[in-house]
Amino acid sequence: MKHLIFQTNNTWTGTLLRWTIGIVFIPHGLQKTLGLFGGMGWSKTMELFTENLHLPYGVACTVILVEFLGSISLLLGWGTRFWALSFIGLLTGIMFTSHLDNGFFMNWFGTQKGEGCQFDILAIGIVVTLLIEGGGKLSVDRLISTKNTLKK
């Protein structure tokens, strides 16, 4: 129970799912933290979140850090269950505050006011699976849990 956060199945399922989420979200995190990929960087993103979207400062910081640190951690498979839970909160928050009012479908053809919740639901399904499955093969979690098992 002590190391439940690092426990993982020794399968490729967790590996493929965490790499998928990590690859999809790392550009978003890099946009918000460093201004890469056409992003605004930390200061301007915080300004947008707090002044325009009226998010509390702590929530705005959490959004940025989950996308940045969470995606890097998922790529490495470190703290997979913690970051999966963090992404569930992030995606649920985004869905209810920004996407649900726009319906279900993504805005593929620019005909809607904004994005629907389709992507959020898909990504939540992936991270819920990671919460259950763990980081899988090639993960820091696997190394930690294997090391702890050998100590016993």
Side-chain angles (χ1 to χ4, degrees):
M1 189 73 147
K2 182 177 164 186
H3 299 286
L4 180 62
I5 193 97
F6 298 111
Q7 298 246 330
T8 181
N9 293 328
N10 190 24
T11 65
W12 288 104
T13 304
T15 308
L16 294 173
L17 292 175
R18 67 183 168 75
W19 285 352
T20 300
I21 288 293
I23 288 167
V24 167
F25 276 94
I26 189 69
H28 293 279
L30 290 169
Q31 286 178 319
K32 290 174 180 72
T33 55
L34 304 176
L36 300 176
F37 302 106
M40 298 185 292
W42 182 272
S43 298
K44 290 195 185 286
T45 301
M46 285 298 292
E47 185 178 312
L48 171 74
F49 284 176
T50 57
E51 294 177 21
N52 295 30
L53 299 177
H54 308 292
L55 292 176
Y57 186 85
V59 172
C61 282
T62 300
V63 168
I64 295 170
L65 292 174
V66 168
E67 287 188 10
F68 180 64
L69 295 176
S71 57
I72 292 169
S73 296
L74 286 176
L75 287 169
L76 297 172
W78 180 75
T80 300
R81 286 192 166 94
F82 170 80
W83 291 110
L85 196 57
S86 299
F87 270 97
I88 291 168
L90 173 77
L91 291 160
T92 301
I94 291 169
M95 181 170 61
F96 280 104
T97 61
S98 301
H99 296 160
L100 205 56
D101 288 345
N102 301 320
F104 177 74
F105 294 101
M106 293 178 66
N107 194 11
W108 290 106
F109 304 108
T111 56
Q112 297 170 193
K113 182 178 84 176
E115 297 293 341
C117 62
Q118 185 177 27
F119 173 80
D120 303 316
I121 293 168
L122 179 65
I124 289 169
I126 290 173
V127 291
V128 165
T129 305
L130 283 172
L131 188 63
I132 296 165
E133 182 76 13
K137 292 181 180 287
L138 304 178
S139 67
V140 174
D141 292 347
R142 181 85 184 132
L143 291 173
I144 292 169
S145 65
T146 303
K147 185 178 178 181
N148 287 332
T149 303
L150 294 175
K151 283 185 178 179
K152 291 179 183 179

